[in-house]
Amino acid sequence: QVQLVESGGGVVQPGRSLRLSCAASGFTFSSFGMHWVRQAPGKGLEWVAAIFADGNSKYYADSVKGRFSISRDNSRNTLYLQVTSLRGEDTAVYLCARESNSDWYIDSWGQGIQVTVSS
Amino acid sequence: EIVMTQSPGTLSVSPGEGATLSCRASQAVSSNLAWYQQKPGQAPRLLIYRASTRANGIPARFSGSGSGAEFTLTISSLQSEDFAVYYCLQYYTWPRTFGQGTKVEIK
C-alpha cells in the first residue's frame, strides 16, 4: 500500500526558508518520479515541482523557479522540497505525490503539510 | 505554459442525476489528461487517466472522454459520496498544469 507522509511544515516569516520532507513506503521509491503540489487556503491545486526517478531531471512551476528546489534520497526513500525566500502567497498545504511508472500522470498522494508564511 | 480551463465552476445536481464536467486546454495535450476528485480535508484521488481510462477501484459511473484540447468527465448517476471538487491535470508537457476545479454540489 502506497504511503506518502509529509513533514517539515510550520509557520515561517517572509523571506525565510524551510525544508519539506516526504517519507515514502509501500513501493520501490527509486523507480518512480515524484511531484510536489500545493493548495492555498480555499483554492485549487497548483503543481509546484517534479523530479525523475533517478533525480537527474527536475522541473518547476514558474511561480517557484529559482526559490524552490526539489531533491530526493533514494537510499532513504525520501523526497524533499527546499523552499527559500518565502512569500505570503506561498502559504498553502504542500502535497507530495507519486507519478505512475507506466505513464506520466500522478497516481498517489500524501495528505499534505501546512506551510504558513506570516510575520 | 498550457492553461487548463474547467467549466462550470459549480454544478448543482440532485442525487441520482447525471453530471457533465468540461476541461479545455489552451493547446492540444493529446490524451495526456487525468481527472481527480477531492473532498474537503482529503487528498485528491485519481479517477481517470489517459483521458478515458478509469483508475483501479473507480466505479463505472465515472467516465472520461476527449482528446486534443477538449475533455469531459461524466458521472452517470450521482451518489452522495460523489459531491466533491473535480480537477483535470495535463501531463503532456512541463510545467504540469491543473484546471481551477469544478465543485459538484447537492441541489
Side-chain angles (χ1 to χ4, degrees), chain A residues 50-64:
Chain A
I51 186 168
F52 280 18
D54 60 8
N56 286 338
S57 293
K58 304 174 184 181
Y59 298 89
Y60 298 93
D62 288 345
S63 58
V64 306

Side-chain angles (χ1 to χ4, degrees), chain A residues 12-92:
Chain A
V12 60
Q13 292 179 326
R16 302 297 290 264
S17 301
L18 211 55
R19 188 176 81 159
L20 306 181
S21 300
C22 170
S25 60
F27 65 101
T28 304
F29 180 71
S30 60
S31 297
F32 288 80
M34 298 295 295
H35 297 247
W36 287 98
V37 174
R38 68 184 180 182
Q39 188 165 34
K43 302 297 184 182
L45 300 172
E46 180 188 12
W47 179 82
V48 172
I51 186 168
F52 280 18
D54 60 8
N56 286 338
S57 293
K58 304 174 184 181
Y59 298 89
Y60 298 93
D62 288 345
S63 58
V64 306
K65 203 173 291 183
R67 298 189 302 122
F68 289 13
S69 177
I70 189 171
S71 62
R72 63 191 298 159
D73 185 339
N74 286 343
S75 69
R76 295 178 183 271
N77 293 339
T78 303
L79 175 72
Y80 301 102
L81 186 68
Q82 181 73 39
V83 299
T84 65
S85 303
L86 281 161
R87 308 165 180 166
E89 56 265 35
D90 296 319
T91 293

Side-chain angles (χ1 to χ4, degrees), chain B:
Chain B
E1 108 179 10
I2 296 177
V3 177
M4 307 300 292
T5 302
Q6 291 186 240
S7 60
T10 303
L11 194 55
S12 298
V13 184
S14 299
E17 290 185 342
T20 301
L21 288 65
S22 175
C23 176
R24 174 177 293 178
S26 61
Q27 62 190 78
V29 298
S30 187
S31 295
N32 298 115
L33 191 286
W35 289 95
Y36 300 87
Q37 176 193 68
Q38 188 180 34
K39 298 178 182 179
Q42 296 186 17
R45 177 174 72 143
L46 174 68
L47 298 175
I48 302 284
Y49 61 93
R50 220 168 285 151
S52 61
T53 303
R54 269 191 305 277
N56 289 341
I58 300 304
R61 64 181 181 271
F62 291 92
S63 64
S65 63
S67 67
E70 298 276 352
F71 301 90
T72 299
L73 174 70
T74 301
I75 312 171
S76 60
S77 175
L78 271 120
Q79 307 298 302
S80 57
E81 61 267 29
D82 300 335
F83 292 96
V85 181
Y86 293 83
Y87 296 95
C88 60
L89 166 71
Q90 69 79 17
Y91 54 94
Y92 178 73
T93 191
W94 303 100
R96 304 302 194 226
T97 43
F98 287 94
Q100 80 279 19
T102 291
K103 181 179 181 180
V104 177
E105 63 176 26
I106 300 176
K107 186 175 182 180

